[in-house]
């Protein structure tokens, strides 16, 4: 049972455990399936049953009771796994771009996107993503997870698993990244990823946004202040280092003695008859 009291209709050990297979022939049409129907209004009844991810409007009152156990990032509200470390990716102008949860088994990244009222955005996003990964040389397999389609990508640098879920006017995507084998179905990293996604809350907001537009990440004030202080300290250290280098006396190479002067008829020593 999740922390919001929504009992799942399917137990974790009943999930389909697909064997990894290479599937080079599937197309976007392969995603047209009713095996996990998700439509606005009853999306919680799909996949893992009455578990998350949740829409903020549904659980806002219950969320107040567990706010100290959640990381509120504006558009996404996450449970933080024990021992997990927060990593914030910033744009050059200092805007938070992505938030990662680093665990002992790998890294988890959850992001939400604007979507149309009708479901199915993850189907098309997954197809585009699979094509892009293959073009970059990755081995990609389509597997079935608690919410339907999942992508497993084997790349040169890491193994990746992409899990997506459609909600009312939003889509959430979780990426689990780790060393070889870490993103296989049944691994500790994937188990942690699904546990987090079941307890994730999406705050879509009412602003009209283009389809697939990332929903904004807003850091908690305390965390934002810590990052700003760390950024300022780094900038000050760089400035002090540059000033110290500019103020340091420049080393002048020692002057080497001039060699004997050589005239048209030989060296000066030769001309003096000393050689």
């Amino acid at each position: 049972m999740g922390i919001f009291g929504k009992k799942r209709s399917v137990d974790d050990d009943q999930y389909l455990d697909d064997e990894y297979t290479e599937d080079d022939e599937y197309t976007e049409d392969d995603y047209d399936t009713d095996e996990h129907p998700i439509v606005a209004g009853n999306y919680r009844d799909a996949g893992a049953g009455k578990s998350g991810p949740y829409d903020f409007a549904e659980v806002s009152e219950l969320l107040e009771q567990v706010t100290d156990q959640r990381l509120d990032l504006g558009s996404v509200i996450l449970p933080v796994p024990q021992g997990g470390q927060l990593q914030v990716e910033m744009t050059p102008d200092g805007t938070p771009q992505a938030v990662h949860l680093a665990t002992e088994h790998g890294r988890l990244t959850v992001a939400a996107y604007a979507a149309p009222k009708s479901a199915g955005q993850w189907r098309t996003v997954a197809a585009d993503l699979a094509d892009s990964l293959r073009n970059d040389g990755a081995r990609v397999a389509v597997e079935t997870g608690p919410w339907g389609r999942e992508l497993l990508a084997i790349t040169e640098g890491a193994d990746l698993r992409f899990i997506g879920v459609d909600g009312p006017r939003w889509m959430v995507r979780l990426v689990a990244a780790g060393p070889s084998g870490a993103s296989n179905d049944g691994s500790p990293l994937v188990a942690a990823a699904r546990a987090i996604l079941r307890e994730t809350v999406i705050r879509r907001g009412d602003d009209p946004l283009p389809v697939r537009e990332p929903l904004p990440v807003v850091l908690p004030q305390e965390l934002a202040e810590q990052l700003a202080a760390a950024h300022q300290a780094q900038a000050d250290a760089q400035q002090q280092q540059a000033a110290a280098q500019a103020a340091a006396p420049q080393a002048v190479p020692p002057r080497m003695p001039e060699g004997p002067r050589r005239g048209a008829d030989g060296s000066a020593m030769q001309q003096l008859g000393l050689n």
Side-chain angles (χ1 to χ4, degrees), residues 232-246:
Q232 186 61 46
Q234 184 179 16
D236 292 344
Q238 292 175 345
Q239 186 175 6
Q240 291 175 3
Q241 183 179 8
Q245 290 177 347

Side-chain angles (χ1 to χ4, degrees), residues 197-234:
L197 201 52
R198 291 187 194 104
E199 296 292 331
T200 292
V201 177
I202 307 301
R203 187 190 282 115
R204 165 62 174 83
D206 298 324
D207 294 338
L209 294 171
V211 170
R212 299 195 186 191
E213 177 82 7
L215 300 183
V217 174
V218 180
L219 299 179
Q221 183 176 354
E222 183 178 355
L223 178 58
E225 291 174 352
Q226 291 176 356
L227 288 174
H231 179 75
Q232 186 61 46
Q234 184 179 16

Side-chain angles (χ1 to χ4, degrees), residues 122 141-143 145-152 161-163 194:
W122 170 239
V142 182
E143 298 187 352
W147 295 275
R149 296 277 179 167
E150 298 180 1
L151 297 183
L152 174 62
R161 180 173 289 268
F162 298 84
I163 306 173
R194 290 170 176 165

Side-chain angles (χ1 to χ4, degrees), residues 256-270:
M256 301 299 293
E258 294 183 2
R261 290 172 296 171
R262 182 178 296 276
D265 297 328
S267 70
M269 300 292 285
Q270 290 171 334

